[in-house]
Amino acid sequence: MNSKIKKLIPQLLTLAFVALIFGFFSYNAQLNMENRGITFGYGFLSQESSFDVQFSLIEYDGSHTYFRAYLVGLLNTILVSVIGIIIATILGVLIGIARLSPNFLINNFAAFYVEFFRNIPLLLQIFFWYFAALRALPLPENAEAIFGVSYLTIKGFYVPAFIWENFDIFFYSIVAAIISIIVIRIYAKKLRDTEGKQLPVFYISIGLLIILPLISFLFGGVNLSFQIPQLKQLALTSFIYEGGVSIPPELIALTLALSLYTATFIAECVRAGIQGVSKGQKEAAASIGLTPNQVLKLVIMPQALRIIIPPTTNQYLNLTKNSSLAAAIAYPDLVLVFAGTALMQTGRAIEIVSITMLTYLSLSVSISIFMNWYNKKIAIKEK
Amino acid sequence: MINKYINPTKENLNTYLTIGLIFISYSIIDVFLNSFFKINITSFLPSLLSFLLPLIFGFIGLYLIRIEYSGVKKLDIINKNINTNNFNAILTLFIIFVIIKSLPPLLSWFIIDANFAGDTKEACTGTGACWTYIKIWFRRFMYGMYPNAEQWRINLSFISLAALGSVGFFATDKFKKYLTLYYVVIYPVIAFLFIFFFISGGRVFFDFSYGIIAAVISVIIGFFIPKFKLYYFLIVPLTFYILLKHVFFSDELIELGMMEGLNWVETGAWGGLSLTFIISFFCLIFCFPIGMALALGRRSDFPIIKYICIGFIEFWRGVPLITVLFMSSVMFPMFLPEDFFIDKLVRAVIAISLFEAAYVAEVIRGGLQALPRGQYDAAKSLGMGYWKMHIFVILPQALKLVIPGIANTFLALVKDTPLIFVVGLLEIVGMLNLAKTNPQWLGFAMEGYVFAALIFWIICYAMSKYSYNLEQKYKTER
Amino acid sequence: MFKLIKQLTSLVAVFAVLIGFTTESMAAKKSKTLKNTQKQGFVKCGVSQGLPGFSNADAAGNWTGVDVDVCRAVAAAVLGDASKVKFTPLSAKERFTALTSGEIDVLSRNTTWTLSRDADIGLTFVGVNFYDGQGFMVRKNSGISSVNDFKNGISACTNIGTTTELNMRDFFNSRGISYEPVAFEKADEVVAAYDAGRCDTYTTDKSGLAAQRTKMSNPDDHIVLPETISKEPLGPVVRQGDAVWEDIVRWSLNTMIEAEEYGVNSANADMMKTSENPAIKRIVGSEGEMGTALGLDNDWSLRIIKQVGNYGESYKRNIADTGILPDRGPNEIWTKGGLLYTPPAR
């Protein structure tokens, strides 16, 4: 009985302490809000927002609600994060592998890249790309065409727009291709386990991925045409490109800075992963007669991935959180649109900041849960 | 198939070697002349071909000298290194090509065409960098808006703090046991007082400082008391607090005792690199103990404490720092009583410390987890209680393991300081942004950013190298 | 058992300390902004980050401008010395939260008086010190001479979180023109973006346009289009809930305007103490108990006029003489055809 009380007391103390702090804060908040005449409530989300946003993936203008403005910001954040993650991963893997090359030049070049971009603050890199590099781009009327159809100017990167007919059929063909690839892989694994035969799964997958959409093009009535940006004059000295898709320079600067910065960390993770597989594994695999390709695919990579994936997922999370730095340049992500403009127009600081933090929290927590599940699944059981 | 005709082997080493070297040297000279002196020796060819010619020739040359086991030591080293197969050769050439081609423009921008002298924008006439701009604004970048006449105070504080901080290197054995007490308790308080009274130059502006000084004094006294009893923790601080507040530092005495002649410089005027150092220093001091406490709490057996710590850590790790700073500047004042006003800088430091403490907690937790259970069992079998076990057995080992992790976190802290602009404070990046839109100095954004990048790069690189050395020094075999 | 007592006593101690802090701060809550200002010895004033004519700091850190003069008037009234002001430069984003959080006590930052700001975010506007309207700036060589020349796809640079953003939308929507809003937090970044060519036009209050033009690389390359697309009454703001402080700031501003209406300026203020016009005597405080009603002494208005000057002097020294807006436009006393009409100080 005595030990039970001894265990309970510190916990109750901590709980009381935390409750006291929370109570203190909420009491003061309530008092302050009463004094200032501010009301607390989430009803403002259904009010009209009356401000426009420069770049939005969904249909939005000032006559939509604040909630829709929140969605716009969220989608922009996700857009930047996804593009950044893809570029950072590709770049990071390349540089990580380059760091392991015996070639003196390549090795040091990659090392220089990592040391250079890792030691400069991300905010500084974003500022550099946006205020220094992209401001030096030419005006639309002076821009030269890249491949004859796209233009890189100070007002944005204008590329041709895709115009689809019967896009859904194309989409279904891609889905069908993916499903059939998964089926083939399961079948190939079963075949290998029971009969020891290897199917060239990789080539089959590529083939499926190309053939099925091709069929949709030829027989499904899917059509793809391009709309090329055309120069249009707005005034004597001001031009833009009409038609096509315009990618704002804010997005370009942010994605560039985020990818280059995060790629350094991913490169280090990849390098640590591959180096972390003991040399004995490679030698043992070679001694039982596996080809170098097979060694890499069947022995090294699975073990290396175990070491690579958790920190890399962490880096993806960091990239998503770092995308909030868009508030420093004029890219309309969640923080700038919702916790910036909307907050200033409505004055509801507590509600808006709480929603913003909750959004980022749920993103982080879901990735944490995934990582914990993955770690448990592949963990080496210690006795 | 080509091997039938062109087969560089050990036998015809000399011929192939000479021809190969000729090709390689030609390609390097061509690129070199092209980029440094703008002479195109193959201008009689169409432009694309003359552009790619050095690459092609270099590739041929490298192919020709790719002789396995040639017996010439230097050749073997080169072949094994950069010439193992065609792909490698192309990459090597490409990299050399890029380096040589990019060197002249960089050199000319940085040094040759740059301006170093002068006082105004007109002095920057060249096409290169305008280092005059940096020279003129240097004081602002270093000290922010701190008045020029008072900057000696910042210099003096930093030098003294650096000197006091390096005391640990010269401590003789007799004092070594007090080192922890010194670094964890006394040194931060001294630094705090320096910043408060010397750099700010003002009177104490909130009550907590009395509490802090009282707590510190009681901890110091507690160390010298033979039997350190828990209830000393109540009586001693309370007494000192009351003494400080109502006897020593009562208002009239403040008027008499305050340093006359030191002008008040409010925290809004602090800025530049000195602010970066101040913030990094204080955040490091605060986030380390809090992080340790959180890590221990997360691994504790008490469920309530464990879940509170988990919630706290996951919360701060899940949100971006910019929203945390935003919250501290916008929401935090609403949670405090109306007249209880905390300075901007203090709020920012608290926010960043709590944020980084969560990361430090995770790093330390990784170290704690990596220790084998045997250590815990052995310590318990010796009869050590929870705190004794952790302080003398577990934490020293765990901290040695996670030195790179903590150094990384500290590095991240330094790199996160530019986000202070959200709160309205201007450290070096903020001062840069201010300077680049000054009407007399428009258009020099590039120089400013390059300068700041250089400074940060030097600091961060030095720190990462130091932590690497530290890790090597403390690496104990397990 | 002994350990239990120790832990309980530590809990009691923690409680005691916290309650001590709380009650102390709660007791302190009853004092008002005026008391705090008098205690700390300076007025905490929020201003812009550098808008010539309104609030701008020179290289030595001295602040000048009409908004600055409003804060100086409050300092002269409350503390007796117009120089006892601490200026906090704020962006459009942080200005209101700085006020509600207590970091500043007066926001004098060319802020537009609107219903939602007055009613919804816990602030009170105490007057108008500059009547303005929103306009557009374009490059002279763009060939645009009026807002009717704007075409679809135009890009407009402005500040985040201002009425400018909302008015811009109303304007372009009502004409059916599709536009691209590029909104930055700092005014300097907006100007830099427009100057570099990122946007075709820069929009904000016309006074802001005129002021910012002086900070561009080639001021003569830009023109302000003649049309005004909205009403922008700019004035000082204080926190809601402190009625005495509200009145002090309001009547400090009104004193400056009324002084010009009656011809009292910093040079002749002392002489006017013996004027025959009772209104003038009340303005300079030689008659009536206006000060006591506000919680100040009766020389408060005289100090304002002597140390800061009347509205006309402030305008002339900051906006007219510097060439930003030589013509006062609607910012003239009502007797001369302008909009400045204050309630009488009696």
Side-chain angles (χ1 to χ4, degrees):
Chain A
M1 190 58 199
N2 211 1
S3 66
K4 232 179 166 188
I5 294 187
K6 259 194 349 184
K7 279 206 138 192
L8 215 51
I9 294 285
Q11 299 183 61
L12 285 180
L13 281 181
T14 344
L15 200 60
F17 185 65
V18 171
L20 202 69
I21 294 195
F22 268 108
F24 179 65
F25 284 161
S26 18
Y27 173 71
N28 278 321
Q30 205 180 12
L31 206 63
N32 282 332
M33 287 203 291
E34 257 172 44
N35 272 346
R36 311 244 190 277
I38 307 175
T39 51
F40 182 85
Y42 287 90
F44 73 95
L45 284 172
S46 50
Q47 285 173 7
E48 192 182 288
S49 68
S50 42
F51 63 87
D52 286 337
V53 164
Q54 165 197 21
F55 173 77
S56 150
L57 287 177
I58 58 177
E59 181 79 26
Y60 171 80
D61 64 34
S63 62
H64 288 105
T65 60
Y66 281 111
F67 181 68
R68 208 172 165 90
Y70 165 78
L71 285 179
V72 167
L74 186 60
L75 282 174
N76 281 342
T77 300
I78 294 181
L79 176 72
V80 151
S81 311
V82 165
I83 299 181
I85 285 178
I86 295 177
I87 300 182
T89 312
I90 298 176
L91 202 57
V93 166
L94 282 176
I95 303 230
I97 296 182
R99 280 282 266 138
L100 295 167
S101 143
N103 186 329
F104 168 79
L105 272 177
I106 298 182
N107 198 335
N108 278 52
F109 195 65
F112 172 72
Y113 173 90
V114 167
E115 285 302 323
F116 183 71
F117 281 99
R118 188 168 60 169
N119 286 325
I120 302 183
L122 180 57
L123 192 62
L124 194 55
Q125 294 187 40
I126 294 179
F127 280 151
F128 173 78
W129 287 112
Y130 186 63
F131 288 118
L134 289 185
R135 281 285 157 83
L137 287 175
L139 288 169
E141 58 263 30
N142 302 331
E144 283 173 26
I146 306 177
F147 300 130
V149 291
S150 40
Y151 301 90
L152 189 59
T153 73
I154 192 177
K155 286 190 183 162
F157 186 34
Y158 296 95
V159 291
F162 289 3
I163 311 224
W164 294 97
E165 263 176 51
N166 293 332
F167 180 68
D168 29 356
I169 300 186
F170 179 73
F171 185 66
Y172 293 145
S173 72
I174 300 264
V175 170
I178 294 182
I179 294 182
S180 49
I181 289 178
I182 296 180
V183 166
I184 296 271
R185 286 179 84 108
I186 297 179
Y187 174 69
K189 193 159 182 294
K190 218 161 56 148
L191 194 65
R192 195 180 71 209
D193 287 341
T194 53
E195 293 181 32
K197 286 206 216 135
Q198 278 267 62
L199 279 181
V201 176
F202 184 64
Y203 293 112
I204 295 182
S205 321
I206 299 246
L208 277 172
L209 212 49
I210 294 182
I211 292 182
L212 283 178
L214 205 62
I215 293 181
S216 78
F217 263 96
L218 293 173
F219 302 111
V222 177
N223 206 353
L224 174 63
S225 60
F226 295 97
Q227 187 183 37
I228 301 182
Q230 303 289 341
L231 191 58
K232 177 180 129 169
Q233 181 166 24
L234 292 178
L236 277 180
T237 52
S238 112
F239 295 82
I240 60 161
Y241 283 93
E242 231 183 15
V245 174
S246 95
I247 305 178
E250 288 82 21
L251 177 58
I252 300 178
L254 192 61
T255 321
L256 213 59
L258 278 174
S259 319
L260 289 175
Y261 183 73
T262 316
T264 66
F265 293 99
I266 295 184
E268 287 296 291
C269 294
V270 166
R271 179 173 75 103
I274 298 185
Q275 272 181 337
V277 179
S278 53
K279 231 165 69 158
Q281 298 283 321
K282 202 152 67 161
E283 293 167 358
S287 73
I288 63 171
L290 295 175
T291 67
N293 243 2
Q294 278 175 326
V295 168
L296 194 66
K297 202 171 62 165
L298 298 172
V299 176
I300 304 278
M301 281 318 273
Q303 296 187 61
L305 276 177
R306 167 189 284 131
I307 308 182
I308 293 179
I309 290 199
T312 310
T313 323
N314 217 2
Q315 292 307 322
Y316 289 164
L317 194 60
N318 278 347
L319 191 145
T320 311
K321 286 192 293 174
N322 282 336
S323 71
S324 61
L325 288 177
I329 58 181
Y331 179 71
D333 79 319
L334 182 64
V335 170
L336 192 75
V337 167
F338 199 57
T341 316
L343 189 145
M344 282 187 279
Q345 304 291 7
T346 61
R348 307 220 183 269
I350 300 186
E351 295 91 324
I352 290 187
V353 173
S354 61
I355 294 180
T356 314
M357 290 182 118
L358 219 68
T359 315
Y360 278 108
L361 257 181
S362 29
L363 216 61
S364 316
V365 167
S366 45
I367 296 198
S368 279
I369 293 181
F370 163 76
M371 270 224 298
N372 281 342
W373 167 82
Y374 181 82
N375 269 342
K376 277 209 187 82
K377 189 168 114 146
I378 59 165
I380 303 177
K381 309 277 182 255
E382 208 183 277
K383 47 187 181 322
Chain B
M1 210 252 316
I2 301 187
N3 273 343
K4 268 219 286 206
Y5 302 106
I6 306 179
N7 195 5
T9 58
K10 207 162 165 194
E11 284 77 42
N12 36 27
L13 171 73
N14 280 330
T15 37
Y16 278 113
L17 192 57
T18 355
I19 303 179
L21 281 176
I22 293 176
F23 274 110
I24 296 179
S25 26
Y26 164 75
S27 77
I28 293 188
I29 291 178
D30 189 358
V31 178
F32 189 72
L33 284 176
N34 215 337
S35 59
F36 273 86
F37 301 106
K38 299 232 183 331
I39 307 173
N40 196 356
I41 48 185
T42 54
S43 50
F44 49 87
L45 292 170
S47 65
L48 191 63
L49 192 59
S50 96
F51 187 71
L52 291 177
L53 200 62
L55 278 175
I56 299 176
F57 274 24
F59 177 65
I60 298 177
L62 280 175
Y63 179 78
L64 288 177
I65 68 173
R66 189 177 305 135
I67 305 170
E68 283 189 36
Y69 314 117
S70 65
V72 179
K73 198 152 175 212
K74 285 214 171 58
L75 189 62
D76 273 338
I77 295 178
I78 292 183
N79 268 332
K80 249 182 132 173
N81 226 325
I82 61 178
N83 202 6
T84 49
N85 53 32
N86 287 337
F87 180 64
N88 243 338
I90 294 186
L91 274 181
T92 313
L93 280 171
F94 189 65
I95 291 183
I96 297 183
F97 188 61
V98 161
I99 292 181
I100 298 187
K101 263 257 142 92
S102 59
L103 221 49
L106 280 178
L107 272 180
S108 81
W109 191 83
F110 267 96
I111 303 181
I112 301 178
D113 286 334
N115 299 94
F116 290 94
D119 254 347
T120 61
K121 190 171 164 184
E122 282 71 33
C124 288
T125 48
T127 52
C130 181
W131 299 122
T132 326
Y133 166 73
I134 303 288
K135 203 177 62 159
I136 303 283
W137 281 89
F138 188 72
R139 285 203 129 180
R140 288 273 159 266
F141 290 155
M142 290 295 131
Y143 300 106
M145 304 304 268
Y146 210 84
N148 279 3
E150 315 278 350
Q151 278 163 10
W152 60 273
R153 282 153 63 178
I154 293 190
N155 293 340
L156 193 58
S157 312
F158 278 4
I159 296 178
S160 1
L161 284 178
L164 286 174
S166 51
V167 156
F169 287 115
F170 305 107
T172 56
D173 277 329
K174 195 173 97 167
F175 293 112
K176 268 222 158 56
K177 56 184 171 164
Y178 295 119
L179 262 188
T180 336
L181 173 67
Y182 174 73
Y183 273 118
V184 173
V185 174
I186 302 185
Y187 183 59
V189 169
I190 295 183
F192 183 65
L193 292 174
F194 251 105
I195 304 258
F196 232 5
F197 292 108
F198 211 54
I199 297 189
S200 250
R203 44 185 57 208
V204 185
F205 55 65
F206 56 78
D207 274 341
F208 277 141
S209 60
Y210 296 132
I212 294 176
I213 301 180
V216 165
I217 299 180
S218 54
V219 164
I220 296 176
I221 294 183
F223 256 81
F224 293 106
I225 293 182
K227 280 202 169 180
F228 184 63
K229 302 243 192 264
L230 196 59
Y231 48 84
Y232 275 3
F233 240 148
L234 319 168
I235 306 179
V236 178
L238 274 178
T239 351
F240 270 100
Y241 175 78
I242 297 175
L243 278 177
L244 281 171
K245 177 143 170 94
H246 296 289
V247 176
F248 290 147
F249 283 111
S250 57
D251 282 324
E252 303 85 42
L253 281 171
I254 281 187
E255 294 295 334
L256 292 173
M258 246 331 115
M259 297 192 219
E260 300 288 339
L262 273 187
N263 296 328
W264 165 264
V265 183
E266 43 125 17
T267 54
W270 302 6
L273 200 59
S274 51
L275 187 62
T276 310
F277 284 150
I278 293 177
I279 293 181
S280 317
F281 181 72
F282 276 106
C283 291
L284 180 69
I285 292 181
F286 291 139
C287 76
F288 201 64
I290 300 180
M292 247 197 309
L294 283 172
L296 290 175
R298 184 164 179 169
R299 283 172 59 83
S300 116
D301 293 323
F302 300 137
I304 294 189
I305 297 186
K306 179 161 134 175
Y307 287 113
I308 290 181
C309 286
I310 291 183
F312 189 85
I313 293 179
E314 289 305 322
F315 173 76
W316 290 102
R317 269 168 41 101
V319 289
L321 182 54
I322 208 172
T323 48
V324 166
L325 282 172
F326 203 54
M327 181 182 80
S328 83
S329 77
V330 164
M331 276 171 62
F332 203 54
M334 277 239 242
F335 290 141
L336 295 173
E338 189 171 325
D339 293 328
F340 193 66
F341 179 68
I342 300 189
D343 187 73
K344 255 195 313 207
L345 181 61
V346 174
R347 268 184 274 149
V349 166
I350 293 178
I352 298 183
S353 311
L354 290 173
F355 181 80
E356 293 290 339
Y359 284 87
V360 170
E362 282 297 284
V363 167
I364 297 184
R365 181 172 81 104
L368 289 172
Q369 266 179 336
L371 283 181
R373 279 199 67 81
Q375 298 287 323
Y376 292 91
D377 296 337
K380 280 193 198 144
S381 73
L382 282 179
M384 293 187 176
Y386 180 83
W387 289 107
K388 262 224 170 101
M389 167 173 77
H390 274 91
I391 293 180
F392 291 110
V393 177
I394 306 290
L395 279 179
Q397 295 184 60
L399 288 178
K400 263 191 227 165
L401 283 176
V402 297
I403 286 182
I406 295 193
N408 262 346
T409 314
F410 183 49
L411 217 62
L413 173 62
V414 171
K415 288 189 294 180
D416 278 339
T417 49
L419 270 75
I420 296 286
F421 77 91
V422 169
V423 200
L425 295 166
L426 299 170
E427 46 70 66
I428 189 167
V429 178
M431 287 309 302
L432 271 179
N433 281 338
L434 193 70
K436 80 172 197 288
T437 51
N438 186 300
Q440 278 133 8
W441 292 98
L442 285 174
F444 294 119
M446 188 83 84
E447 285 88 343
Y449 289 132
V450 167
F451 175 68
L454 210 65
I455 291 193
F456 269 111
W457 192 86
I458 295 177
I459 296 177
C460 295
Y461 188 69
M463 277 205 294
S464 60
K465 271 280 167 280
Y466 179 67
S467 92
Y468 182 72
N469 288 344
L470 215 61
E471 182 193 349
Q472 301 291 22
K473 187 166 113 178
Y474 285 113
K475 207 196 290 225
T476 46
E477 291 309 318
R478 291 179 51 222
Chain C
M1 193 58 198
F2 194 39
K3 256 199 141 173
L4 190 62
I5 294 184
K6 274 201 289 190
Q7 286 170 334
L8 279 174
T9 34
S10 57
L11 173 64
V12 167
V14 164
F15 266 113
V17 169
L18 269 171
I19 290 180
F21 280 140
T22 325
T23 42
E24 198 168 295
S25 6
M26 272 166 62
K29 208 183 351 214
K30 297 216 179 81
S31 65
K32 307 276 187 220
T33 319
L34 174 60
K35 194 155 146 210
N36 280 350
T37 308
Q38 283 167 333
K39 191 163 93 161
Q40 70 208 9
F42 52 80
V43 174
K44 294 192 286 200
C45 185
V47 290
S48 77
Q49 290 167 321
L51 188 63
F54 287 83
S55 44
N56 202 9
D58 64 12
N62 302 317
W63 287 90
T64 52
V66 289
D67 287 339
V68 162
D69 284 342
V70 169
C71 282
R72 291 207 194 278
V74 174
V78 172
L79 301 168
D81 185 351
S83 62
K84 288 194 176 153
V85 189
K86 180 178 98 151
F87 293 103
T88 310
L90 301 164
S91 70
K93 193 167 171 194
E94 25 178 29
R95 54 183 164 170
F96 296 132
T97 49
L99 188 57
T100 49
S101 73
E103 189 181 336
I104 54 174
D105 293 322
V106 183
L107 175 68
S108 187
R109 195 208 173 277
N110 49 289
T111 311
T112 312
W113 187 348
T114 67
L115 175 90
S116 53
R117 286 175 179 174
D118 211 358
D120 218 10
I121 49 183
L123 305 174
T124 302
F125 281 79
V126 293
V128 178
N129 76 332
F130 198 90
Y131 288 93
D132 204 357
Q134 183 173 335
F136 290 92
M137 179 193 287
V138 293
R139 300 196 124 77
K140 219 182 249 176
N141 58 5
S142 69
I144 300 179
S145 55
S146 122
V147 296
N148 299 319
D149 294 337
F150 285 159
K151 300 229 175 39
N152 270 336
I154 192 170
S155 49
C157 279
T158 186
N159 281 83
I160 296 181
T162 52
T163 49
T164 319
E165 242 185 323
L166 312 177
N167 293 331
M168 181 168 70
R169 172 169 189 274
D170 290 341
F171 171 74
F172 281 115
N173 262 21
S174 63
R175 286 162 180 250
I177 303 179
S178 74
Y179 72 109
E180 182 195 0
V182 183
F184 295 87
E185 186 183 324
K186 290 219 187 120
D188 286 334
E189 286 166 13
V190 181
V191 172
Y194 163 72
D195 214 3
R198 171 76 183 80
C199 325
D200 303 314
T201 174
Y202 169 34
T203 173
T204 180
D205 307 335
K206 274 184 158 177
S207 58
L209 290 176
Q212 297 284 16
R213 181 165 59 175
T214 59
K215 295 198 328 188
M216 295 192 188
S217 45
N218 285 318
D220 293 324
D221 282 349
H222 307 274
I223 55 168
V224 176
L225 296 179
E227 290 88 349
T228 308
I229 66 167
S230 74
K231 292 191 288 194
E232 302 288 325
L234 311 175
V237 197
V238 296
R239 275 187 295 278
Q240 200 164 338
D242 194 335
V244 174
W245 183 251
E246 253 179 69
D247 287 334
I248 293 180
V249 181
R250 174 179 295 124
W251 287 98
S252 303
L253 175 61
N254 289 349
T255 303
M256 287 173 70
I257 300 177
E258 205 173 13
E260 191 190 359
E261 181 180 339
Y262 286 98
V264 184
N265 57 41
S266 51
N268 62 17
D270 275 324
M271 287 190 302
M272 290 296 194
K273 279 208 270 203
T274 51
S275 146
E276 271 144 25
N277 191 334
I280 296 187
K281 285 219 274 213
R282 277 192 291 273
I283 292 175
V284 295
S286 53
E287 190 179 290
E289 294 289 318
M290 310 299 152
T292 335
L294 290 173
L296 310 166
D297 63 297
N298 273 333
D299 271 340
W300 66 282
S301 43
L302 181 63
R303 285 196 295 266
I304 293 179
I305 305 173
K306 274 174 63 175
Q307 296 182 26
V308 182
N310 64 24
Y311 183 87
E313 288 176 285
S314 167
Y315 187 100
K316 180 168 187 294
R317 139 180 98 225
N318 293 308
I319 302 187
D321 284 347
T322 53
I324 296 178
L325 280 174
D327 178 17
R328 275 172 75 158
N331 294 308
E332 189 51 275
I333 305 294
W334 65 284
T335 47
K336 298 205 189 120
L339 291 176
L340 294 172
Y341 182 116
T342 63
R346 65 173 312 149

